[in-house]
Amino acid sequence: MTDASVDAPVTAVTVFRDGARVVRTGLVTVQPGLRPVVLGSLPATADPASVRVAARGHDLGLLNVEVQRRFGTDPLRAETARLRAEVEQRRDTVQELADEDAAEQAALGFLGHLSDATATALARAVSTGRAGYDELSRMAGHLSAGTGSILSRRREIGARKRTAQRELEAAEQRLAAAEKRAGHPVEFAEVCVILEARAGRH
């Protein structure tokens, strides 16, 4: 004889100074005869002596109510998987920003090399009269603007990277906490009743 399981969601709560009364309501169909029914899990903090069960139905009797302590596995697999995916996403974001910064650093290095080469070439051109100081000034302004633009982008990337790093560390902490809890036995109270259906379906 297999126990029937009843989904009994909370339908009413009354709060007192020293506790609360919680009402759960569920429906079940039973065949004639004695039928064990499990009324779902209660928190481990529930007082077994306070549990009351009422059964209503045609030719249906409630013969026994028993509250048993059980241990089960903490159902955190889905939560852990979600947190692990979040950590991977945060890591990708940090890496993307690091790549952006590396590209800007390379551009800055190239601009520095170009600046040195241009300065040497222009100095020679000015000394031989092939270029004037106006050309030299315009080139210096262009190189300076390019350097300033790259440095500005690097500062913006750096700020985003610091924020992303903090978010990654927070996500890693949440994942570590979930993995620490996952798989540990969790205590709960299980309510088992014996119903007697004397005739027909209920």
Side-chain angles (χ1 to χ4, degrees):
M1 183 168 54
T2 304
D3 293 1
S5 181
V6 179
D7 181 18
V10 175
T11 55
V13 177
T14 305
V15 179
F16 304 100
R17 289 185 177 180
D18 57 348
R21 181 175 62 208
V22 179
V23 178
R24 296 172 179 262
T25 304
L27 298 174
V28 63
T29 299
V30 295
Q31 299 293 333
L34 298 179
R35 301 297 170 185
V37 177
V38 178
L39 300 180
S41 302
L42 303 179
T45 55
D47 180 7
S50 69
V51 175
R52 301 288 184 273
V53 178
R56 296 182 177 88
H58 183 66
D59 288 334
L60 182 67
L62 176 63
L63 301 184
N64 185 57
V65 177
E66 184 177 359
V67 180
Q68 300 176 342
R69 295 291 179 179
R70 302 289 192 190
F71 289 88
T73 302
D74 193 4
L76 286 175
R77 291 184 179 179
E79 178 69 7
T80 301
R82 184 189 68 79
L83 290 172
R84 187 173 292 111
E86 180 186 359
V87 166
E88 292 302 322
Q89 181 181 12
R90 303 280 185 194
R91 286 175 179 165
D92 289 343
T93 299
V94 171
Q95 185 58 53
E96 288 171 2
L97 290 170
D99 292 342
E100 285 187 41
D101 187 58
E104 295 294 344
Q105 177 65 32
L108 186 62
F110 175 76
L111 195 59
H113 174 74
L114 179 62
S115 177
D116 292 340
T118 302
T120 301
L122 282 175
R124 291 175 181 173
V126 169
S127 65
T128 59
R130 288 180 290 130
Y133 286 101
D134 289 342
E135 288 85 350
L136 182 61
S137 179
R138 283 195 298 271
M139 182 56 67
H142 176 73
L143 294 173
S144 177
T147 300
S149 178
I150 292 175
L151 292 175
S152 178
R153 288 195 298 271
R154 290 198 69 196
R155 285 192 294 270
E156 185 267 338
I157 292 171
R160 289 163 53 202
K161 186 178 177 182
R162 287 190 295 272
T163 299
Q165 186 65 43
R166 288 194 296 268
E167 292 174 347
L168 170 59
E169 291 171 356
E172 287 175 337
Q173 290 175 358
R174 290 192 293 270
L175 175 60
E179 288 178 336
K180 187 176 181 180
R181 296 194 308 269
H184 288 191
V186 177
E187 184 180 5
F188 61 93
E190 186 176 76
V191 181
C192 302
V193 303
I194 301 297
L195 299 178
E196 182 181 17
R198 287 184 286 273
R201 293 177 177 269
H202 307 278

